[in-house]
Amino acid sequence: MVAPLKSYEYPYKDSDLTNAHSFLMGPLLSMLPKPAAPQGKKLRVLDLGCGNGSLSNAIAQQGYEVVGIEESAQGVAIATKSFPDCDFIQASIYDLPYDALQNSFDAVISVEVIEHLFYPRELVRAAKKCLKQNGRLIITTPYHGYFKNVVLSVSGKMDAHFHALWDGGHIKFFSIKTLSGLLETEGYHRFEFKFAGRLPHLWKSMLCGCSVASE
């Protein structure tokens, strides 16, 4: 008899920044609006899929007001205990508390999250609901391009890169074209791409900034 499938919760052990943050932080901050609004108020940033809160905190230290959303109870517990300068909410990207979040943020970021989702379109739609008018969405995800995939195949590293046995791992693989296409169909425009890690066209990650198109 097969045991019932248990719900999966991504494990977080501590509040440390991950290795990915070391090469993503610079370009990510360069794509965010300046932290101080004209009226002197801090710009509000929503971090969708904030994990242990370490990146939310790092951004808050640059002068932003940051709210983090994370589905993992363990991640939220670590974040809340470790980073009192930010607010954290336990919720699924698929079911956000919009009463508290809708039309409230100058920028929404989602860092290395969309590739883990069965329904990545829902993340893009959720961000749109949370952004203020003229707000900015920034998504980062592992880079996938033709040349990189050929190099992985020839070098024998394809299985390690597309690891099928990583519980909670990557299930969606985006190129510039496919990520742009997803965002465009959901009403975004003015795309700006930056890349991080490794040599050109072998990049580890890509960052896409965009705005909500006028109705």
Side-chain angles (χ1 to χ4, degrees):
M1 183 176 179
V2 179
L5 181 65
K6 297 180 180 179
S7 60
Y8 180 82
E9 180 170 315
Y10 203 90
Y12 295 96
K13 297 180 180 179
D14 53 44
S15 61
D16 294 343
L17 286 164
T18 70
N19 175 62
H21 295 143
S22 64
F23 57 83
L24 286 171
M25 182 65 73
L28 177 62
L29 289 174
S30 74
M31 297 175 82
L32 280 171
K34 297 301 181 183
Q39 298 80 10
K41 296 181 180 179
K42 292 183 178 180
L43 291 190
R44 301 192 77 211
V45 176
L46 180 64
D47 186 358
L48 287 178
C50 68
N52 65 3
S54 56
L55 181 64
S56 300
N57 178 67
I59 292 172
Q61 300 312 305
Q62 301 298 315
Y64 297 91
E65 179 184 340
V66 183
V67 176
I69 300 288
E70 173 57 44
E71 187 170 9
S72 166
Q74 185 181 32
V76 171
I78 291 172
T80 301
K81 180 179 179 180
S82 303
F83 307 117
D85 290 340
C86 303
D87 292 323
F88 297 99
I89 300 171
Q90 185 185 357
S92 168
I93 287 172
Y94 301 132
D95 187 24
L96 294 182
Y98 288 111
D99 288 348
L101 303 174
Q102 194 160 359
N103 303 324
S104 298
F105 294 90
D106 301 284
V108 173
I109 65 171
S110 188
V111 176
E112 308 296 288
V113 172
I114 196 169
E115 65 274 8
H116 295 271
L117 301 178
F118 282 111
Y119 307 106
R121 190 177 303 276
E122 295 303 314
L123 184 152
V124 175
R125 289 175 175 173
K128 189 176 181 180
K129 291 179 182 178
C130 295
L131 283 169
K132 296 178 182 177
Q133 187 176 7
N134 301 319
R136 185 164 176 80
L137 170 63
I138 303 171
I139 288 177
T140 89
T141 189
Y143 169 77
H144 292 278
Y146 176 78
F147 178 71
K148 180 178 179 180
N149 289 339
V150 169
V151 171
L152 287 170
S153 181
V154 171
S155 64
K157 296 183 178 180
M158 188 69 83
D159 281 346
H161 189 74
F162 296 97
H163 203 312
L165 303 181
W166 174 16
D167 291 340
H170 300 174
I171 57 176
K172 300 288 184 179
F173 304 94
F174 288 95
S175 65
I176 297 171
K177 181 178 180 180
T178 56
L179 184 57
S180 298
L182 169 63
L183 290 164
E184 189 171 18
T185 61
E186 293 301 323
Y188 291 85
H189 67 158
R190 297 177 182 169
F191 302 117
E192 175 191 8
F193 278 90
K194 292 192 177 183
F195 305 92
R198 296 200 190 98
L199 300 173
H201 304 289
L202 295 175
W203 299 294
K204 290 184 178 181
S205 292
M206 60 181 176
L207 303 89
C208 180
C210 54
S211 303
V212 178
S214 301
E215 297 293 340

